[in-house]
Amino acid sequence: MLWIKAFHIVFVASWFAGLFYMPRIFVNLAMVPADSHAERERLLLMGRKLYRFMNLLMIPALALGLVLWLYYGIGRGPGQYWMHAKLALVIGAVGYHHVCRSHLRQFEALANRRSHRWYRVFNEVLVLLFMAVVILVVVKPF
């Protein structure tokens, strides 16, 4: 079980590293001058490659988490409300992941309507989500 838990942590941390970096690419894309096609294409290529890599990290992170929960029983049983809250936040992280794809598609279609400041705030939302997940897992407040 400890091996599974270790790999789960590695994949979650790696997935979140990608989720933290993707909005930084969006910040830079939102700041690219209209006549800088090469810079825009380079950032879009980075975004596409990062998104594909994030997909490869998300799948084992979720699968190993399910194994820990359903097979080993971590967070199961009475009084394990922290796990319900964590699962809700994990669903939020998966949603954030897919929202990132939507924003990337908007940039690809030259349809972005948001400022670089908006993407900076968008990035901070994930920091709060990550902190909440870590606190729930470590402290188990309820």
Side-chain angles (χ1 to χ4, degrees):
M1 180 203 43
L2 293 178
W3 283 101
I4 295 194
K5 189 183 286 189
F7 281 112
H8 173 65
I9 292 168
V10 167
F11 280 107
V12 168
S14 300
W15 174 40
F16 267 79
L19 287 174
F20 286 135
Y21 192 65
M22 183 64 82
R24 300 304 307 162
I25 292 174
F26 297 157
V27 166
N28 289 311
L29 276 165
M31 293 173 58
V32 169
D35 62 342
S36 184
H37 301 292
E39 182 180 3
R40 184 179 170 285
E41 288 304 315
R42 181 180 48 83
L43 289 167
L44 285 173
L45 179 65
M46 288 171 59
R48 286 189 290 268
K49 286 183 175 187
L50 178 59
Y51 191 82
R52 281 193 302 266
F53 190 59
M54 286 168 27
N55 279 335
L56 294 174
L57 297 167
M58 178 182 66
I59 292 166
L62 295 174
L64 293 169
L66 284 172
V67 168
L68 289 168
W69 180 42
L70 298 174
Y71 183 77
Y72 289 105
I74 293 177
R76 289 177 60 186
Q80 301 292 317
Y81 301 112
W82 64 272
M83 181 57 92
H84 298 125
K86 178 194 171 197
L87 291 173
L89 293 173
V90 168
I91 290 168
V94 171
Y96 188 96
H97 180 99
H98 291 294
V99 168
C100 283
R101 177 62 179 151
S102 174
H103 288 295
L104 184 58
R105 285 184 178 155
Q106 288 174 0
F107 278 111
E108 290 171 334
L110 297 172
N112 175 54
R113 305 264 186 263
R114 303 193 192 281
S115 72
H116 67 93
R117 288 187 181 109
W118 189 91
Y119 287 109
R120 291 176 197 275
V121 173
F122 178 68
N123 192 28
E124 299 309 317
V125 169
L126 190 67
V127 173
L128 298 174
L129 188 144
F130 184 68
M131 282 180 14
V133 168
V134 170
I135 289 168
L136 286 169
V137 170
V138 173
V139 178
K140 296 177 180 58
F142 49 90

